[in-house]
Amino acid sequence: MAATGERIFVQAIRRYCASHGIALDVRSGGWLLAMSGHGERHFAFGYDIGLNSAIAHRLANDKSAAAEVLTLEGVPCIPHRLFLNPSMGAHVAGPDWQQAMLMLLAQNPQGVVVKPNEGTSGRAVFKVTNRNELDRAVTEVFSSSLGLVIAPYVEIEDEVRVILLDDKPMTVYRKERPQVVGDGLRTLRELASEAGHDRQLRELTAQEVNAVVPNGEHRILNWRHNLDAGARPVLMEDGEVRAICAQLAVEAAAAIGITFASIDVVRVDDAWRVLEVNSGVMMEALAKLHPELVQATYDAALDRVFGGS
């Protein structure tokens, strides 16, 4: 958020409306925006600017459904298995959901990731390697969500976000996780503290954080690539990798039928796959580094909303 407490998304829409003679009515603390101009009224809600169909929006925001659709269309992706909250009744959740979860854990000895079926920013996302961790993660997610998904834990070598508008990549950037470089003298805790990354050590063991990092050796501090978890957006230059990521994102968008979206693709074992599709396009972290690019992206989307090219 900006110093005013207003989201970058709202600020960008304010600027667009001011420069295009469009009246803007901000409601619900900035989560509902009514834009009126040129004889039209359009709404933005949350981070959704209103370009996507209802079914595309719902598919994109449902991790399990999105993965199923991508698989049906032959788009490589990370599978996400859906489990519904047992509080809704056995006829909804099914009688064997716990056994099915344990089976998934047994099939993935490297671990699994448990997270809400809907939601962004990496909140309530857990890496699980044993039954006790699974029970804690499931209890935590089900305490606030009607559904969760379980995905195999994979070693993600790179994660790239592609923001698409009408199959055109508007912005492509890597999510660079916080890391330190060892000097052979200081512990991981000391190096992270000096770099301002103390928060990133919470999920590491005492043995890991108190060990001296060998000289020149890199240590990544967080297994998550989420920007809210400390990752930094780094724009990608034109080249083969950028083109591969953009093309995969275009294929994913076409499969779901979505017009304006941010799509996360990951490199696992040197192969690129889709991780998630997001109907709401959030660029709060990117705006701190590249405000002009973020404004231009929202401007182009709003041009489409108001019938421009």
Side-chain angles (χ1 to χ4, degrees):
M1 288 194 181
T4 62
E6 191 170 69
R7 293 177 297 142
I8 296 296
F9 180 81
V10 179
Q11 293 180 39
I13 291 178
R14 279 193 187 280
R15 293 189 191 100
Y16 181 89
C17 290
S19 62
H20 289 75
I22 295 168
L24 176 64
D25 192 357
V26 179
R27 300 293 183 98
S28 302
W31 291 100
L32 174 63
L33 307 175
M35 301 169 282
S36 304
H38 315 305
E40 308 172 50
R41 171 170 283 183
H42 297 279
F43 296 95
F45 184 76
Y47 286 96
D48 192 332
I49 216 160
L51 282 176
N52 300 320
S53 70
I55 188 63
H57 171 75
R58 294 197 66 181
L59 288 174
N61 285 348
D62 186 301
K63 296 179 179 66
S64 174
E68 296 282 11
V69 170
L70 295 176
T71 300
L72 283 171
E73 294 298 316
V75 180
C77 66
I78 302 294
H80 287 71
R81 169 78 179 274
L82 174 66
F83 292 89
L84 295 174
N85 197 316
S87 66
M88 294 189 289
H91 64 289
V92 175
D96 302 319
W97 60 272
Q98 289 175 307
Q99 290 82 354
M101 287 182 178
L102 290 171
M103 186 176 297
L104 279 175
L105 183 59
Q107 292 169 349
N108 294 277
Q110 77 282 7
V112 296
V113 175
V114 179
K115 54 188 174 182
N117 187 39
E118 298 185 23
T120 59
S121 303
R123 295 184 179 90
V125 177
F126 301 93
K127 180 184 175 184
V128 165
T129 58
N130 58 57
R131 179 166 186 166
N132 287 338
E133 291 175 349
L134 178 65
D135 289 343
R136 285 195 295 270
V138 169
T139 299
E140 178 72 21
V141 177
F142 274 157
S143 70
S144 58
S145 300
L146 292 178
L148 63 75
V149 287
I150 296 181
Y153 174 77
V154 292
E155 289 287 349
I156 294 176
E157 295 146 12
D158 272 305
E159 182 169 329
V160 171
R161 172 160 289 181
V162 182
I163 296 176
L164 287 178
L165 175 62
D166 289 325
D167 295 336
K168 178 183 177 182
M170 305 296 294
T171 306
V172 183
Y173 61 85
R174 293 178 56 249
K175 297 181 182 180
E176 190 175 88
R177 290 175 290 177
Q179 59 179 295
V180 296
V181 181
D183 57 10
L185 301 172
R186 288 177 291 176
T187 65
L188 182 61
R189 183 189 302 279
E190 291 169 331
L191 293 167
S193 180
E194 182 184 30
H197 294 319
D198 302 78
R199 289 178 54 216
Q200 304 299 327
L201 302 178
R202 288 179 297 185
E203 293 188 32
L204 300 179
T205 65
Q207 183 178 359
E208 289 173 317
V209 299
N210 293 320
V212 172
V213 182
N215 187 44
E217 197 162 296
H218 290 252
R219 286 281 194 278
I220 294 175
L221 302 178
N222 197 322
W223 63 273
R224 298 180 182 88
H225 283 75
N226 302 90
L227 299 175
D228 280 4
R232 186 172 67 96
V234 179
L235 291 181
M236 296 185 69
E237 297 181 358
D238 290 340
E240 182 182 4
V241 174
R242 188 184 190 277
I244 290 171
C245 294
Q247 180 57 36
L248 184 55
V250 168
E251 293 171 7
I256 289 177
I258 202 161
T259 300
F260 187 43
S262 65
I263 299 173
D264 292 333
V265 299
V266 295
R267 184 164 62 92
V268 178
D269 296 329
D270 285 329
W272 289 94
R273 309 182 205 175
V274 175
L275 177 64
E276 290 185 8
V277 179
N278 300 290
S279 177
V281 178
M282 181 169 62
M283 294 185 281
E284 307 291 308
L286 185 63
K288 297 175 183 176
L289 301 173
H290 304 283
E292 300 87 358
L293 178 60
V294 168
Q295 186 67 49
T297 301
Y298 283 132
D299 284 353
L302 288 161
D303 279 346
R304 272 280 277 112
V305 169
F306 283 95
S309 59

